[in-house]
Amino acid sequence: MIRLSSATKMKLAAVFVVIMAVAAAGVYWYFGYHIKTADYAMKKIESSLKAHDVSEFQYYYDRESFIEKVTDDVSAGMLDDGSTLKGDMKKSVLEFVKVFRSPLKQSVDGMINRFIRTGSFAGDDAKDNISIDSAVLIRRLGLDIVEYRGIKSVVDREENGEKYAIAKVDIYQQAVETEFQLELKLVPDKDGTYRLTSIENLADFLSLMASKRHEKIGSYLKKIDTLNEAHDKRIVDIERQMSQTLASGNLGEPATREKLRLLVEDNLLKDWQVRLAALEAISAPDEVHTLHNLYLRIAKENIAYAKAYGEWLVDKKGETISVALNSQKEAKTLAGEAAKIRRQIKNNND
């Protein structure tokens, strides 16, 4: 058995006391200070979202304050989408929207709870007690396909005697290929625990998304107009040649019919096929999908018309020309509808 001298025992006791003091200081720092910091709260919020831990997230979440502020920003974002809603008109419409604030607030709450639970704003509206079409709202506000890229910084602040912190987090909106830095406000409660109370620049994010959407819609309209105008000029020229052929010949004559067939199959048909391929290669924003689908259908109906008309010039069957004329009529009807929708989109986007 090893015997320790009194001096050695005293040294060991001193070391033990120091170790315990350091440990106690560490415990005090962790439980008395560290877990009461905004940085700690943000890390817990981040981890709870990744794990879809609703109870832990809510511990660091001032639900009422957060929902109130988000609802206000969403209300404004739904209306002021970067268009011409300004001044007195904007104020009047915002007053009108207050009537629908309660169901909107309930729906915002449901969408946020859904996001915490699943990591997505999309889902079953009835199951999540959401009374509006969340899919439309999500796309309109730019909340679809948002990629979280991490906490950038957490800075403590004090203003007029109020302590709070601003946490900056990086996100990326894939639909408009835009990076943004959200500023989250955290305020300590009576116990000193920091809780998420608002997204201070959410309105800026929604405004930016609206602006980016308008840019994409404007770019689409410019691209589609250039495409259609170029092809329309060729179609006018081809139809002029067809009219001249009919005027200078006789449809009962094989030579006239053959000349018309070559114009239809080598020019009219091929031009519409080229236009269809170009249309299919264009990426259309969600807001113009209806218009783009109409352009695709117009091209397909004109292709069907050209094919059937070319066949009729050979087989002379009544059912063949009937198919051609029906396709031509449908294409013209769709073109009229597309023109109206395009005007509406252009007016809303200006």
Side-chain angles (χ1 to χ4, degrees):
M1 182 177 179
I2 300 174
R3 293 179 178 273
L4 299 176
S5 66
S6 297
T8 301
K9 289 179 179 179
M10 290 182 66
K11 288 179 180 179
L12 290 175
V15 170
F16 178 76
V17 169
V18 170
I19 291 173
M20 292 303 294
V22 170
V27 170
Y28 174 79
W29 174 84
Y30 186 82
F31 289 102
Y33 172 74
H34 181 59
I35 65 172
K36 300 294 185 180
T37 63
D39 183 67
Y40 180 83
M42 273 305 302
K43 288 177 181 176
K44 296 298 285 184
I45 289 171
E46 182 181 56
S47 64
S48 65
L49 287 175
K50 288 180 179 178
H52 308 304
D53 189 333
V54 177
S55 61
E56 182 171 70
F57 179 87
Q58 290 180 342
Y59 184 75
Y60 297 95
Y61 170 50
D62 187 335
R63 180 176 181 178
E64 186 61 31
S65 296
F66 191 84
I67 297 299
E68 284 287 340
K69 182 66 166 59
V70 169
T71 301
D72 288 340
D73 290 338
V74 167
S75 297
M78 288 171 64
L79 297 168
D80 189 7
D81 62 352
S83 57
T84 56
L85 189 62
K86 306 294 180 184
D88 293 337
M89 177 62 73
K90 180 178 178 179
K91 292 179 181 178
S92 298
V93 178
L94 284 173
E95 286 297 319
F96 178 74
V97 168
K98 288 181 180 179
V99 177
F100 303 98
R101 195 178 189 285
S102 181
L104 178 60
K105 179 180 176 181
Q106 175 188 321
S107 297
V108 167
D109 188 25
M111 287 169 60
I112 291 173
N113 287 335
R114 175 197 286 166
F115 181 79
I116 298 167
R117 191 180 69 253
T118 68
S120 172
F121 287 107
D124 186 337
D125 289 346
K127 180 180 179 181
D128 294 316
N129 196 29
I130 296 174
S131 56
I132 61 178
D133 188 341
S134 66
V136 173
L137 185 61
I138 289 166
R139 286 196 303 272
R140 185 178 179 83
L141 298 178
L143 300 177
D144 54 331
I145 326 178
V146 175
E147 177 186 327
Y148 173 74
R149 292 190 168 178
I151 302 169
K152 187 70 175 180
S153 65
V154 181
V155 179
D156 292 320
R157 296 182 181 178
E158 186 170 347
E159 187 175 342
N160 299 324
E162 178 197 14
K163 290 183 177 181
Y164 65 97
I166 295 294
K168 296 183 179 182
V169 298
D170 291 335
I171 60 173
Y172 179 76
Q173 217 290 340
Q174 295 181 27
V176 294
E177 301 176 339
T178 301
E179 293 181 347
F180 192 80
Q181 196 169 82
L182 291 175
E183 296 182 359
L184 311 183
K185 184 176 182 180
L186 298 96
V187 178
D189 61 13
K190 294 179 180 179
D191 296 329
T193 300
Y194 277 82
R195 300 184 190 277
L196 176 62
T197 62
S198 65
I199 302 175
E200 291 294 279
N201 61 343
L202 179 59
D204 294 337
F205 171 76
L206 300 181
S207 178
L208 177 63
M209 291 303 102
S211 176
K212 291 293 184 179
R213 283 199 307 275
H214 281 278
E215 286 179 14
K216 291 196 75 172
I217 292 171
S219 176
Y220 168 81
L221 290 178
K222 184 177 180 180
K223 187 181 297 183
I224 208 75
D225 288 349
T226 300
L227 172 68
N228 285 335
E229 287 170 9
H231 281 274
D232 286 345
K233 287 180 181 179
R234 286 197 284 273
I235 294 299
V236 169
D237 184 60
I238 293 168
E239 290 178 342
R240 179 183 57 78
Q241 293 180 56
M242 291 171 64
S243 296
Q244 289 176 347
T245 300
L246 286 170
S248 62
N250 188 326
L251 198 55
E253 296 176 353
T256 301
R257 295 174 71 88
E258 179 61 12
K259 191 174 182 179
L260 269 177
R261 186 188 69 79
L262 292 174
L263 278 171
V264 169
E265 295 183 353
D266 292 347
N267 294 276
L268 184 66
L269 175 59
K270 288 183 178 178
D271 192 274
W272 278 108
Q273 289 174 330
V274 170
R275 188 185 322 208
L276 177 61
L279 286 167
E280 290 175 335
I282 293 176
S283 176
D286 289 339
E287 293 83 359
V288 297
H289 270 176
T290 298
L291 176 62
H292 194 69
N293 286 335
L294 279 173
Y295 286 139
L296 292 171
R297 289 178 60 192
I298 291 166
K300 290 175 182 178
E301 289 295 342
N302 274 296
I303 288 171
Y305 157 69
K307 284 182 177 179
Y309 189 54
E311 290 173 7
W312 174 73
L313 289 169
V314 175
D315 66 23
K316 305 178 185 178
K317 293 180 180 178
E319 56 266 30
T320 307
I321 192 62
S322 178
V323 169
L325 293 176
N326 285 336
S327 293
Q328 185 185 49
K329 181 180 178 181
E330 180 66 11
K332 289 181 178 180
T333 300
L334 293 173
E337 186 66 22
K340 288 191 291 185
I341 293 176
R342 188 213 166 278
R343 284 194 298 271
Q344 291 173 352
I345 293 174
K346 184 70 168 62
N347 291 336
N348 292 336
N349 204 57
D350 286 341

